[in-house]
């Protein structure tokens, strides 16, 4: 057979190979089908006897095709263990001694700019006829680009799914918060809430059980995103169910702790402050479960104190190791500022933390002022301190003024 006939037949086979792989790509065949078509095309049309194809992922080259190989080869090769000097046609692979590519005599690298996307190692059937490396590289490139496009499409779909989940979690979280806070002569309330991301881990609530009874709380769940939103949703449902049947703070907190522990098996926890005030008896009761202590401001005496009595975080133990209920009597006019740790853990450009001491100083300078005005002036100060540095956590401040 003359040389021209051999060349013609080779071109015809190459054309068949190109047609088969591009047709499969155009028909949007899945990855397994594309890899099988590529493998059999190489074996039938391209004078290839054995081949291995590695395709890069984030940190490894993963084996996607292996045919006709007798030696052990690795399923993955770390990207750092592949050194390709394609200018002189030399590939250096760092392999453990139990692996070998000795029976493969040719390699075909696939690049996008300076990044190696894939490595095709092969052995020809007939050394005399050889192989058209340029065509083989082009065909491999077509396959790898198709695989990359599929991987990118999967990532996009996954990102869209995550975004949808976050939207749902955000909607769920918005429904947890009270739609309106009271603004009456007896009770004025103001909240400022800055979630760190679409879905935060902070929760606050205010429940007026009767004309003379009000419950208020703030909480911070460990973790973020959908799991944190679902846990907080269950927590809020449990809290509101308990409040309908009892005003016993100890019973409420013990039951909440049991519910969280049962749901998360001690893997997640919630810091929580729950307060209760009765306008008739003028008695304040509270339990602090490992949360930043709220600041109580006595209006007549112009003094402040931290509300620390309580217990440990909820959800860490099946039974709370200790539990103390704090109370204050004969309260006529007072304010309480409840907050989460994201408020005091704001930093400035010098990496200085705002801290509890600065917050307490601000409170003492602004004892029992209107909650709305308190928030306006406080966040002016916090923003000036932060100098535009991005917050690292959710920030919640709930202020109540009771008379």
């Amino acid at each position: 057979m003359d040389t021209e006939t051999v060349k013609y037949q080779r071109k015809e086979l190459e054309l068949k190979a190109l047609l088969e792989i591009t047709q499969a790509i155009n028909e949007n065949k899945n990855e397994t089908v594309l890899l099988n078509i590529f493998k059999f095309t190489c074996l039938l049309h391209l004078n290839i006897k054995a081949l291995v194809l590695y395709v890069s992922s984030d940190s490894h080259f993963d084996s996607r095709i292996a045919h006709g190989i007798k030696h052990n080869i690795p399923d993955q090769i770390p990207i750092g263990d592949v050194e390709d000097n394609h200018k002189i046609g030399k590939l250096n692979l760092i392999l453990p001694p139990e692996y070998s590519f000795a029976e493969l005599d040719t390699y075909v690298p696939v690049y996008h700019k300076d990044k190696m996307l894939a490595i095709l190692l092969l052995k020809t059937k007939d050394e005399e006829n050889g192989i058209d490396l340029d065509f083989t590289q082009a065909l491999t490139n077509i396959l790898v680009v198709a695989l990359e496009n599929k991987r990118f499409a999967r990532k996009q779909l996954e990102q869209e799914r995550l975004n949808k989940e976050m939207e749902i979690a955000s909607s769920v979280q918005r429904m947890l918060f009270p739609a309106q806070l009271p603004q009456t002569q007896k009770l004025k309330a103001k909240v400022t809430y800055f979630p760190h991301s679409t879905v935060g881990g902070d929760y606050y609530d205010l429940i007026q059980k009767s004309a003379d009874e009000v419950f208020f709380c703030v909480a911070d769940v460990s973790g973020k995103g959908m799991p944190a939103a679902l846990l907080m949703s269950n927590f809020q449902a449990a809290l509101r169910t308990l409040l309908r049947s009892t005003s016993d703070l100890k019973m409420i907190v013990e039951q909440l702790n049991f519910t969280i522990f049962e749901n998360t098996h001690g893997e997640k926890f919630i810091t929580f402050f729950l307060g209760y005030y009765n306008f008739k008896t003028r008695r304040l009761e509270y339990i602090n479960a490992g949360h930043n202590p709220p600041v109580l401001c006595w209006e007549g005496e112009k003094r402040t104190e931290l509300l620390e009595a309580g217990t440990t975080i909820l959800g860490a133990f099946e039974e709370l190791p200790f539990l103390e209920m704090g109370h204050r009597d004969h309260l006529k006019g007072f304010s309480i500022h409840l907050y989460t740790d994201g408020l005091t853990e704001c930093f400035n450009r010098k990496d200085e933390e705002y801290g509890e001491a600065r917050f307490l100083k601000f409170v003492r300078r602004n004892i029992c002022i209107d909650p709305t005005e308190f928030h306006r002036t406080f966040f002016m100060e916090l923003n000036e301190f932060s100098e535009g540095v991005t917050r690292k956590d959710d920030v919640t401040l709930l202020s109540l003024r009771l008379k």
Side-chain angles (χ1 to χ4, degrees):
M1 191 179 296
D2 60 53
T3 305
E4 289 301 317
T5 303
V6 170
K7 283 183 180 179
Y8 176 78
Q9 288 179 341
R10 174 185 282 180
K11 288 298 177 187
E12 194 174 44
L13 291 172
E14 289 177 353
L15 185 60
K16 279 185 181 179
L18 182 61
L19 186 62
E20 285 176 9
I21 194 70
T22 53
Q23 186 175 345
I25 292 169
N26 290 336
E27 291 172 0
N28 199 27
K29 300 291 186 184
N30 63 44
E31 289 188 15
T32 302
V33 172
L34 290 180
L35 289 165
N36 281 332
I37 289 173
F38 177 81
K39 178 175 75 174
F40 290 118
T41 295
C42 288
L43 297 173
L44 290 173
H45 304 320
L46 300 185
N47 192 34
I48 292 173
K49 180 180 180 181
L51 76 158
V52 177
L53 176 67
Y54 284 93
V55 178
S56 72
S57 60
D58 293 329
S59 59
H60 291 82
F61 282 96
D62 298 313
S63 174
R64 306 302 299 275
I65 298 174
H67 179 83
I69 309 300
K70 294 177 183 177
H71 291 128
N72 286 333
I73 62 169
D75 293 329
Q76 288 185 330
I77 305 174
I79 285 177
D81 292 347
V82 177
E83 183 183 341
D84 176 38
N85 192 335
H86 54 286
K87 291 181 180 178
I88 61 171
K90 184 176 181 182
L91 178 70
N92 183 34
L93 301 174
I94 301 172
L95 299 174
E98 65 267 25
Y99 299 124
S100 172
F101 292 110
E103 61 192 296
L104 301 170
D105 52 23
T106 306
Y107 86 98
V108 179
V110 175
Y111 277 88
H112 175 69
K113 296 181 179 178
D114 291 330
K115 182 185 177 184
M116 183 186 279
L117 296 181
I119 312 165
L120 177 66
L121 299 110
L122 56 90
K123 182 176 180 62
T124 55
K125 292 178 187 174
D126 180 358
E127 291 184 9
E128 184 179 339
N129 289 324
I131 185 171
D132 186 338
L133 289 178
D134 289 338
F135 177 80
T136 305
Q137 187 177 47
L139 192 69
T140 308
N141 188 75
I142 290 169
L143 169 73
V144 171
V145 168
L147 295 178
E148 279 288 296
N149 287 341
K150 286 184 177 293
R151 189 165 77 106
F152 180 71
R154 275 199 311 274
K155 277 189 172 181
Q156 271 194 317
L157 286 173
E158 179 66 14
Q159 189 59 50
E160 287 171 12
R161 183 186 68 79
L162 288 173
N163 289 342
K164 190 65 179 175
E165 276 192 4
M166 294 298 276
E167 285 176 21
I168 294 168
S170 182
S171 298
V172 167
Q173 192 170 55
R174 282 195 298 271
M175 288 188 286
L176 299 182
F177 300 135
Q180 286 185 323
L181 293 175
Q183 296 291 326
T184 67
Q185 285 298 108
K186 287 171 67 174
L187 172 60
K188 289 187 178 182
K190 169 68 177 176
V191 70
T192 301
Y193 171 56
F194 296 119
H196 177 252
S197 58
T198 307
V199 180
D202 288 0
Y203 165 63
Y204 63 90
D205 212 341
L206 187 146
I207 303 106
Q208 292 183 279
K209 194 171 183 179
S210 69
D212 293 315
E213 294 179 292
V214 61
F215 289 88
F216 46 92
C217 69
V218 66
D220 188 354
V221 63
S222 62
K224 296 288 183 287
M226 181 65 87
L230 291 175
L231 178 57
M232 197 58 87
S233 176
N234 291 335
F235 179 81
Q236 187 241 28
L239 172 62
R240 291 201 164 220
T241 300
L242 288 164
L243 288 175
R244 279 196 292 269
S245 58
T246 182
S247 296
D248 187 332
L249 297 194
K250 285 189 175 181
M251 184 186 295
I252 292 169
V253 169
E254 284 174 340
Q255 189 57 49
L256 287 171
N257 176 72
F258 178 76
T259 301
I260 298 164
F261 186 86
E262 193 175 43
N263 288 339
T264 67
H265 308 290
E267 293 179 2
K268 288 196 175 291
F269 60 86
I270 294 178
T271 67
F272 178 56
F273 178 92
L274 176 63
Y276 164 74
Y277 183 67
N278 189 307
F279 286 93
K280 241 179 202 177
T281 63
R282 299 193 324 223
R283 179 180 173 90
L284 169 70
E285 296 176 350
Y286 67 91
I287 291 177
N288 189 337
H291 197 79
N292 302 82
V295 187
L296 173 65
C297 304
W298 300 70
E299 189 164 340
E301 301 176 37
K302 299 288 184 182
R303 67 183 175 91
T304 63
E305 66 172 302
L306 300 179
L307 302 180
E308 298 178 301
T311 183
T312 186
I313 56 178
L314 304 184
F317 304 98
E318 188 172 4
E319 291 185 11
L320 293 169
F322 58 90
L323 180 56
E324 174 191 4
M325 185 181 77
H327 64 87
R328 297 291 181 271
D329 292 306
H330 311 300
L331 291 170
K332 292 182 180 180
F334 65 98
S335 294
I336 297 181
H337 302 289
L338 305 88
Y339 63 96
T340 56
D341 56 11
L343 183 145
T344 52
E345 291 175 2
C346 287
F347 288 82
N348 62 17
R349 292 180 185 176
K350 297 175 185 175
D351 207 30
E352 296 171 331
E353 186 181 66
Y354 183 74
E356 291 182 5
R358 284 189 177 89
F359 182 61
L360 284 172
K361 283 181 182 177
F362 180 87
V363 173
R364 287 165 186 154
R365 292 196 309 267
N366 297 274
I367 284 191
C368 294
I369 68 171
D370 181 83
T372 300
E373 179 63 15
F374 181 92
H375 280 232
R376 187 187 69 80
T377 54
F378 170 72
F379 281 100
M380 281 178 58
E381 176 176 302
L382 187 64
N383 290 336
E384 286 175 11
F385 171 84
S386 301
E387 302 172 312
V389 173
T390 304
R391 298 182 179 99
K392 298 179 181 178
D393 198 359
D394 310 317
V395 173
T396 302
L397 175 62
L398 173 63
S399 300
L400 314 175
R401 190 179 185 191
L402 302 97
K403 288 190 176 182

